[in-house]
Amino acid sequence: MSLKKQLINEQGIRTDGRGIDDLRPIKITLGYLAHANGSVLYEQGKNKILAAVFGPSEVHPKHAELPDRAILRVRYRMAPFSTEERKSPAPTRREIELSMVIRNALESVVLTELFPRTAIDIFIEVLQADAGTRVAGVTAAALALADAGIPMKGITAGCAVGKVDGKIVCDLNDIEDKEGEADMPIVYIPTLGKISLLQMDGLMTQEEFKQALSKAINSAMKVYQLQVNALKTKYIKVER
Amino acid sequence: MSVTREKPVVSKILQKNMLELLSNGIRIDKRKLDEYRKISYQVGIIEKADGSALLSLGETMVLVGVKVELGQPFEDTPDQGVLVVNAELLPLASQTFEPGPPDERAIALARYVDRSIRESNTVDLKSLTIVQGKICYVVYVDVYVLDYGGNLVDASVLAAVKALENTKIKKYELDENGKIMKTEKVESLKLNDFPVSITFGIINNKYFVDPSLEEEQACDTFLTFTYTKSGNICAVMKNEQGLIAPAQVIEMMELGWKKAKEISSLMLGGQKGND
């Protein structure tokens, strides 16, 4: 494609001024909502994601409950005004898939066996989308769960990496996601050293995949530091 | 909303047995850790479809039908045809599949088959334009799961590609007045690649290819890679809840490519696979 825009210049600077390994600025506002048991407004560049947690609470309908653990109910949704063109408010196949993928990523860390016969509801509302919303959603959900005081084996920290102009770059923005060659969202649990979400689409060589995986884990570690700082700051304040 | 499903009950004895065998490098059905079940297929069995393939992978059976119709290209890709992938987990395939519109499992399956085909550029979408920005061919790929015996993903990707290979397009052309007319010409759908997906089941940090239904029920999680003919990776998906160590992801990626080469040489040519 001859008309393709150049997304990384000769100095290795991206369209928004970042280097290839830099994340977008992240801002975490814990307890953003008054009524949810736990909530957070998670901003990563232009992404604005609101996550809230309710529960553990009684399950309705009753037959949906499990005798040995809590069920998780996860909804990932994008607001109609969150994208360049209006998105229909009806749930898309993408949102249904991502709700499941996010639930799977969280089930492996939430200690659901501590709350049998209950439900924990996790709502992720993307108010503004600018690439990497599923991993930002999992990152935000972990913060909201911690804010709600729900015990977890570890905190899930997510970051997407991808291939843009032939280079492996961290935390793609919207243009890089659309014009780039590949996108690989990852959720990592630093305290366990394990991956709980991994997807990729696009084209990568096997060498590039290896490089992308290690860059994704490094990026997730950075996100994790910010999560920990935000949680500590809030609870130090509460203590006083 | 995605809700936790009840895990199938796997007896403790079976699970223990499975794990013991796995640590000795064998599986409950005597396969090796990197051994696929028998693959066989037939193409063109649905005459009214433009392309079709019925594929068995062990006890799993998937039928894919392809229909090519006229439609409009997407606004952001006026010079390309359209590919639509749908999957149905038929209630007759398993007691755990319910009638009704595709649930999250079916949607995730369809979207993975879609990504495997699309990202590898398997269907030459550029060749499906008739009038730029106005009329193009739309290729509908419908995945019908007939029998669920584990590893639906690999069976579905293979069956979809085989059905696409079998697809003939009834050509439309513009007449002198610029009206679209059906012609007598029939052409094979142009394909650029042959993607193969390889799925790993993982139990207690032990991984193996092509999980059977019994193994799937005991698995913590699954990881699937789709490889192009040249060994690039065009799609990856981790499924279900468990966790994976990064080093194992790389091991699986490398083993997966070895298996993908074997399977694609098995699938190329021949009408019956290794039957």
Side-chain angles (χ1 to χ4, degrees):
Chain A
M1 276 190 272
S2 53
L3 288 172
K4 224 183 139 229
K5 251 187 270 170
Q6 192 191 9
L7 296 170
I8 303 175
N9 72 13
E10 288 71 22
Q11 287 80 45
I13 303 297
R14 293 151 73 177
T15 50
D16 51 10
R18 284 184 290 158
I20 55 171
D21 291 338
D22 296 343
L23 306 188
R24 291 172 286 184
I26 292 174
K27 192 178 162 207
I28 297 170
T29 316
L30 280 167
Y32 188 79
L33 302 173
H35 298 98
N37 295 126
S39 64
V40 68
L41 176 66
Y42 184 79
E43 294 164 275
Q44 182 168 20
K46 286 183 196 155
N47 275 331
K48 287 188 202 302
I49 291 160
L50 192 54
V53 169
F54 290 87
S57 44
E58 223 176 292
V59 184
H60 297 292
K62 266 272 172 260
H63 66 79
E65 65 179 34
L66 294 178
D68 57 340
R69 60 207 169 105
I71 57 169
L72 294 190
R73 296 189 292 210
V74 176
R75 191 177 90 146
Y76 163 96
R77 196 55 86 76
M78 277 168 68
F81 46 77
S82 64
T83 46
E84 214 65 57
E85 271 164 47
R86 180 174 186 270
K87 185 207 146 279
S88 151
T92 59
R93 279 155 53 102
R94 178 177 174 276
E95 287 166 316
I96 294 169
E97 183 202 339
L98 294 192
S99 297
M100 180 182 86
V101 166
I102 292 171
R103 179 175 58 76
N104 283 336
L106 293 170
E107 297 243 26
S108 32
V109 292
V110 178
L111 291 165
T112 50
E113 56 274 23
L114 297 178
F115 310 101
R117 298 187 187 284
T118 63
I120 298 168
D121 290 310
I122 300 158
F123 299 110
I124 298 162
E125 298 289 339
V126 178
L127 306 180
Q128 184 163 272
D130 198 69
T133 58
R134 83 194 65 178
V135 282
V138 180
T139 306
L143 287 163
L145 282 162
D147 190 40
I150 291 175
M152 291 182 278
K153 285 185 214 161
I155 288 200
T156 50
C159 195
V161 291
K163 187 175 163 189
V164 176
D165 286 358
K167 293 192 180 75
I168 303 299
V169 303
C170 297
D171 191 18
L172 307 191
N173 63 29
D174 209 19
I175 321 163
E176 291 168 341
D177 185 27
K178 288 201 178 98
E179 311 267 325
E181 294 100 272
D183 174 31
M184 179 159 130
I186 281 198
V187 172
Y188 185 65
I189 304 151
T191 47
L192 303 176
K194 295 263 175 94
I195 291 166
S196 79
L197 182 157
L198 171 58
Q199 291 183 307
M200 199 280 281
D201 59 280
L203 274 179
M204 267 187 199
T205 64
Q206 296 181 29
E207 272 315 308
E208 285 166 342
F209 181 84
K210 284 186 198 171
Q211 202 193 339
L213 189 71
S214 83
K215 281 201 177 193
I217 289 171
N218 285 339
S219 308
M221 292 300 292
K222 292 184 196 164
V223 172
Y224 175 68
Q225 275 315 318
L226 297 170
Q227 286 173 302
V228 170
N229 289 345
L231 286 166
K232 275 191 184 157
T233 314
K234 176 170 175 186
Y235 287 99
I236 287 164
K237 262 190 219 149
V238 172
E239 233 173 72
R240 283 173 188 159
Chain B
M1 196 144 72
S2 177
V3 182
T4 309
R5 277 188 306 275
E6 200 169 351
K7 270 207 152 188
V9 181
V10 181
S11 77
K12 287 255 154 60
I13 294 181
L14 178 64
Q15 199 147 18
K16 199 173 149 243
N17 208 347
M18 220 182 259
L19 274 172
E20 266 174 26
L21 286 173
L22 280 177
S23 47
N24 295 322
I26 358 171
R27 296 158 71 172
I28 40 169
D29 52 8
K30 302 198 177 96
R31 277 188 290 162
K32 291 190 222 88
L33 300 187
D34 64 346
E35 188 178 339
Y36 263 72
R37 291 169 293 173
K38 198 177 104 182
I39 302 171
S40 58
Y41 60 91
Q42 278 177 285
V43 295
I45 58 160
I46 306 291
E47 289 97 339
K48 294 205 173 176
D50 298 314
S52 59
L54 176 67
L55 184 132
S56 302
L57 171 62
E59 286 178 358
T60 291
M61 186 158 52
V62 176
L63 173 65
V64 173
V66 178
K67 279 282 195 186
V68 183
E69 292 181 352
L70 287 187
Q72 267 193 330
F74 290 117
E75 263 175 45
D76 52 348
T77 50
D79 58 340
Q80 291 184 13
V82 174
L83 172 73
V84 179
V85 182
N86 183 51
E88 303 267 349
L89 306 179
L90 300 181
L92 58 72
S94 160
Q95 217 169 8
T96 62
F97 296 165
E98 280 164 28
D103 68 359
E104 58 183 26
R105 290 176 292 176
I107 289 171
L109 175 65
R111 284 176 52 87
Y112 191 76
V113 174
D114 182 295
R115 291 215 292 272
S116 295
I117 295 171
R118 192 181 302 277
E119 303 297 342
S120 56
N121 196 24
T122 296
V123 177
D124 191 39
L125 292 176
K126 289 234 155 76
S127 71
L128 298 177
T129 317
I130 301 171
V131 182
Q132 193 158 356
K134 291 224 163 62
I135 309 166
C136 66
Y137 294 104
V138 182
V139 179
Y140 292 95
V141 177
D142 281 286
V143 178
Y144 249 48
V145 174
L146 304 184
D147 209 348
Y148 170 43
N151 198 4
L152 289 182
V153 178
D154 294 355
S156 302
V157 172
L158 278 179
V161 178
K162 275 287 152 192
L164 287 167
E165 258 186 1
N166 176 245
T167 299
K168 305 271 186 296
I169 304 180
K170 298 178 195 89
K171 281 307 239 190
Y172 284 81
E173 272 167 16
L174 291 177
D175 69 3
E176 55 273 21
N177 305 321
K179 243 187 105 188
I180 191 108
M181 297 290 284
K182 197 171 182 174
T183 65
E184 294 293 303
K185 282 185 254 173
V186 174
E187 264 178 29
S188 286
L189 183 65
K190 199 175 155 211
L191 300 189
N192 297 322
D193 211 308
F194 193 95
V196 174
S197 80
I198 301 293
T199 295
F200 293 88
I202 301 154
I203 308 178
N204 266 9
N205 302 321
K206 301 252 176 346
Y207 58 84
F208 45 85
V209 298
D210 183 31
S212 67
L213 182 59
E214 219 171 14
E215 288 170 330
E216 261 191 21
Q217 291 174 339
C219 277
D220 304 323
T221 190
F222 305 91
L223 188 63
T224 306
F225 293 89
T226 305
Y227 302 85
T228 64
K229 263 195 295 205
S230 57
N232 287 331
I233 300 170
C234 63
V236 180
M237 162 176 76
K238 175 187 163 295
N239 219 339
E240 291 303 328
Q241 301 161 13
L243 302 172
I244 313 178
Q248 285 198 325
V249 173
I250 301 298
E251 287 171 27
M252 285 185 256
M253 177 197 79
E254 284 166 353
L255 175 58
W257 170 228
K258 220 181 99 203
K259 298 310 292 178
K261 279 188 284 190
E262 285 175 26
I263 289 181
S264 77
S265 65
L266 188 77
M267 299 296 288
L268 288 172
Q271 282 284 297
K272 281 263 160 120
N274 61 352
D275 210 345

